[in-house]
Amino acid sequence: MSEKTEMTTDLALLGVLAVLWGASYTFIKIGVETIPPVTFIAARTLIAGGILFAIICWRGLAMPRDAATWRRFAFQACLNSVVPFTLIAAAERSVDAGLATILNSTSPIFTFLLTALITRHEPVTARKLVGVGAGIVGIGLIVGMEALGGLGQQVWAQLAIIIATVSYAGAAIFGRGFKGLDPMIPAAGSMLCGAVTLVPLSLAVDRPWTLAPSTASIVALLGLSIFSTALAFVIYFRLIHTLGSVGTTSQAYLRVPIGVGIGAVLLGESLGPAVWVGMGFVVAGVAAMTIPARRARAIPGKV
């Protein structure tokens, strides 16, 4: 495959990933209406991990057998599913799906900050620094306006989403260490490790056999598990190796209008004036950090 063709494929996959993850916030919002967050995410990781493991077996691949690799899968699971999935699911019981999309879209900003401060494997440029500044202003506008009215449930839920976003940023950097493995293997391994962690917690805390979830919540869980988790994570681990951690998280600026639009159409959500302004800063900041880096590569003029 030529470099130009490979870049075109990667950019197309980046768009697909943005759609899959943009829809996930609406899936979560519908799902947690009748399924507690821990049980909802335990089921999500179990279903997604099972699907990925079945496909791996069908393809004739084998999961690693050494303990060291599985420890890395378990750590990746904490960063990329157990902590952020659960925090976002809990937060969306009080936060709209569109607002969750905007706050979580700041992952490239935190990925860049962690990269610049710790790993330093990607260059620090003035444009990226401007992007970080714009993104932080956007977060401040969104969360800060709520905080002016007191640290209520909305503010704590929004802060939980930001913590989840920092966790995703760490996962994007740590995920580079799986280079050389088929993308499905770390995706399946991390999902299965997430399920091993969350299923016992679900059984102890929520007693899922006593629940009566709605049909809408079950359908949302299946859509989230199959499309926005199993398929999305295969794409994610491929792009981590081809576009890099900051490049892969750049789908966040594409994810914002998709996630907000789906929330508006399916859930009837609307954003306040401060959130619209904050969203503008976030999208501009993330775009400033990522679009020029791709444009400078093999396809002039390609966004």
Side-chain angles (χ1 to χ4, degrees), residues 7-303:
M7 175 57 70
T8 301
T9 300
D10 286 343
L11 293 178
L13 288 173
L14 199 69
V16 172
L17 187 60
V19 172
L20 293 174
W21 277 348
S24 68
Y25 302 94
T26 295
F27 284 142
I28 293 169
K29 186 71 176 179
I30 295 171
V32 296
E33 288 178 356
T34 59
I35 304 174
V38 171
T39 295
F40 185 74
I41 299 306
R44 175 186 184 179
T45 55
L46 182 62
I47 293 170
I51 291 171
L52 291 169
F53 181 71
I55 295 174
I56 286 171
C57 293
W58 175 73
R59 291 178 59 195
L61 301 175
M63 295 295 291
R65 296 185 178 182
D66 60 292
T69 300
W70 280 97
R71 282 195 295 269
R72 291 167 60 210
F73 287 164
F75 187 66
Q76 180 74 14
C78 290
L79 292 175
N80 219 22
S81 57
V82 174
V83 171
F85 284 4
T86 306
L87 285 175
I88 291 171
E92 284 205 51
R93 287 196 144 183
S94 58
V95 170
D96 286 346
L99 183 55
T101 306
I102 296 169
L103 291 173
N104 198 221
S105 73
T106 57
S107 54
I109 292 168
F110 293 108
T111 301
F112 170 77
L113 290 174
L114 291 176
T115 296
L117 294 173
I118 301 174
T119 63
R120 300 180 181 179
H121 65 269
E122 296 186 17
V124 174
T125 65
R127 191 178 295 270
K128 288 181 179 180
L129 291 173
V130 170
V132 168
I136 290 174
V137 169
I139 295 172
L141 283 170
I142 295 168
V143 179
M145 293 304 292
E146 293 282 349
L148 289 176
L151 289 177
Q153 187 178 13
Q154 276 271 331
V155 174
W156 291 116
Q158 291 172 19
L159 291 175
I161 295 172
I162 293 172
I163 293 171
T165 303
V166 175
S167 184
Y168 278 137
I173 295 171
F174 186 77
R176 298 177 74 252
F178 296 111
K179 191 170 185 177
L181 293 176
D182 184 281
M184 275 197 176
I185 290 177
S190 62
M191 286 296 106
L192 292 172
C193 287
V196 168
T197 302
L198 289 169
V199 168
L201 186 60
S202 165
L203 295 174
V205 174
D206 294 331
R207 297 190 301 165
W209 59 89
T210 66
L211 302 175
S214 66
T215 301
S217 289
I218 294 173
V219 171
L221 172 61
L222 293 175
L224 179 71
S225 303
I226 296 168
F227 299 107
S228 296
T229 309
L231 177 58
F233 271 84
V234 172
I235 297 173
Y236 168 82
F237 277 105
R238 172 201 161 109
L239 293 179
I240 283 290
H241 301 317
T242 56
L243 295 182
S245 52
V246 173
T248 300
T249 55
S250 71
Q251 46 74 31
Y253 75 86
L254 301 173
R255 191 169 74 219
V256 171
I258 294 169
V260 171
I262 292 173
V265 171
L266 296 183
L267 303 176
E269 296 178 350
S270 60
L271 304 177
V275 177
W276 278 111
V277 176
M279 183 179 77
F281 274 98
V282 167
V283 172
V286 175
M289 293 171 62
T290 55
I291 291 178
R294 293 205 302 271
R295 200 176 269 167
R297 295 181 67 171
I299 312 177
K302 189 73 172 180
V303 175

